[in-house]
Amino acid sequence: MDPYELATRNTVEVVTDEELRALIDRPVRRVYTGYEPSGEIHLGHMVTVNKLMDLQQAGFEVTVLIADLHAFLNRKGTMEEIRETAEYNRLCFEGLGLRGANYVLGSDVQLTAEYELAVLELSQAITLNRAKRSMDEVGRQMDNPTVSQMVYPIMQMVDIATLGVDAAVGGIDQRKIHMLAREHLPSIGYPAPVCIHTPIINGLDGKKMSSSAGNVISVADSEEEIKKKMKKAFCPPEVENNPVLEILRYHVFPRADAVAIRRPEKFGGDREFAAYEDLERAYAAGEIHPLDLKTAAADHLIDILAPVHDYVCSR
Ligand SMILES: Nc1ncnc2c1ncn2[C@@H]1O[C@H](COP(=O)(O)OP(=O)(O)OP(=O)(O)O)[C@@H](O)[C@H]1O
Ligand SMILES: N[C@@H](Cc1ccc(O)cc1)C(=O)O
């Protein structure tokens, strides 16, 4: 697959397409994603991990920022609790196949005088209103935001300059922070980053996949857990809001040449699909039963996640 196709497949938005094309032509290109340490790395986080792996294959140098201070500012726990999960998260990302990336712990690079000055300079140019709005989909308990949650997006902007990256990958929920970065980083002498946004996927109950909602498949889940969870997954006959189809689209097809639906002759026999779109069409036309779809998704997920489970457990 050519580098542009790798960079853009399964994205919802690239800002801007023209800048991405120009970046791909450069000999050295750097991209990053930041993650607040989380007790459970799930298939939602994995959408961005997949994109980083696509970009690695497209010749980008990849940095993964484990944003411990950001999690602290966002009221996710004490610094000690957060640091413990940081190391676990790195293992999950490596287990998923994101090796050879540059892993950086936020607090290792964010406590210098230079970083602080950049934060202060930008904080003078950004209104409270814009900072707050940029946190709408990122912040915890935003009905009662703290000052730390206003510092958060500004630090995320300075991370881009500090890590020296040309592009930022994130779920579409990062969009407002990224737009602030594009607007304001040039004022501190740093070029606007290319922003690559991936979709937010649904959890097994059909609502946004999120650790706090308990509707996730964790990348470290065992075979039994995956089977049990997939059996109960919401799988409507339609293609919209269908978490099982989303798993196939964003996690299985990018890793498999083809997906087989296995079933006895009396139920139509086996079917094989080389492209997600073909499978979606057949499902929408009622040619595949939800139970068979779930079984195929579960079997592939088990194969994809088994190395993560082994890698994490062996350390
Ligand atoms: N359901 C999802 N689909 C795609 N990407 C997601 C999903 N959930 C989270 N992400 C990505 O992972 C990053 C971390 O998100 P976040 O910390 O909110 O995860 P979470 O599981 O919702 O955590 P919590 O429920 O504890 O707040 C987000 O920036 C987002 O881009
Ligand atoms: N804002 C990201 C985490 C993050 C933190 C710092 C960054 O530089 C980048 C990303 C999230 O919602 O999880």
Side-chain angles (χ1 to χ4, degrees), residues 105-173:
L105 186 67
S107 55
D108 283 345
V109 296
Q110 294 161 335
L111 297 172
T112 67
E114 199 189 348
Y115 186 97
E116 179 66 18
L117 265 176
V119 170
L120 295 177
E121 211 174 322
L122 287 174
S123 71
Q124 215 246 7
I126 292 168
T127 63
L128 205 48
N129 202 13
R130 280 293 292 284
K132 183 166 175 290
R133 268 193 290 140
S134 75
M135 289 295 283
D136 280 350
E137 292 174 57
V138 173
R140 269 256 171 113
Q141 299 157 29
M142 285 306 287
D143 46 335
N144 192 19
T146 57
V147 174
S148 66
Q149 288 168 309
M150 304 298 99
V151 176
Y152 182 117
I154 300 177
M155 283 179 57
Q156 186 161 336
M157 296 159 68
V158 175
D159 290 340
I160 294 171
T162 302
L163 297 171
V165 292
D166 313 296
V169 164
I172 189 72
D173 54 350

Side-chain angles (χ1 to χ4, degrees), residues 93-235:
F93 296 141
E94 286 180 345
L96 279 170
L98 192 54
R99 314 252 166 97
N102 175 28
Y103 286 87
V104 177
L105 186 67
S107 55
D108 283 345
V109 296
Q110 294 161 335
L111 297 172
T112 67
E114 199 189 348
Y115 186 97
E116 179 66 18
L117 265 176
V119 170
L120 295 177
E121 211 174 322
L122 287 174
S123 71
Q124 215 246 7
I126 292 168
T127 63
L128 205 48
N129 202 13
R130 280 293 292 284
K132 183 166 175 290
R133 268 193 290 140
S134 75
M135 289 295 283
D136 280 350
E137 292 174 57
V138 173
R140 269 256 171 113
Q141 299 157 29
M142 285 306 287
D143 46 335
N144 192 19
T146 57
V147 174
S148 66
Q149 288 168 309
M150 304 298 99
V151 176
Y152 182 117
I154 300 177
M155 283 179 57
Q156 186 161 336
M157 296 159 68
V158 175
D159 290 340
I160 294 171
T162 302
L163 297 171
V165 292
D166 313 296
V169 164
I172 189 72
D173 54 350
Q174 306 299 309
R175 179 170 210 280
K176 290 185 188 148
I177 299 179
H178 284 163
M179 292 308 109
L180 271 180
R182 285 182 54 85
E183 209 175 300
H184 290 279
L185 281 181
S187 75
I188 58 163
Y190 200 80
V194 175
C195 299
I196 300 173
H197 295 143
T198 49
I200 298 297
I201 63 166
N202 286 309
L204 300 175
D205 55 359
K207 303 193 185 97
K208 181 195 163 190
M209 185 175 287
S210 131
S211 315
S212 36
N215 59 0
V216 307
I217 289 190
S218 156
V219 299
D221 274 350
S222 66
E223 182 173 338
E224 291 68 38
E225 282 164 322
I226 297 171
K227 275 192 182 145
K228 207 164 90 194
K229 288 181 179 180
M230 286 299 291
K231 208 174 258 172
K232 282 199 264 168
F234 175 62
C235 189

Side-chain angles (χ1 to χ4, degrees), residues 54-69:
D54 282 344
L55 289 163
Q56 217 170 26
Q57 211 184 319
F60 281 71
E61 288 172 18
V62 171
T63 296
V64 174
L65 178 72
I66 310 278
D68 56 346
L69 279 179

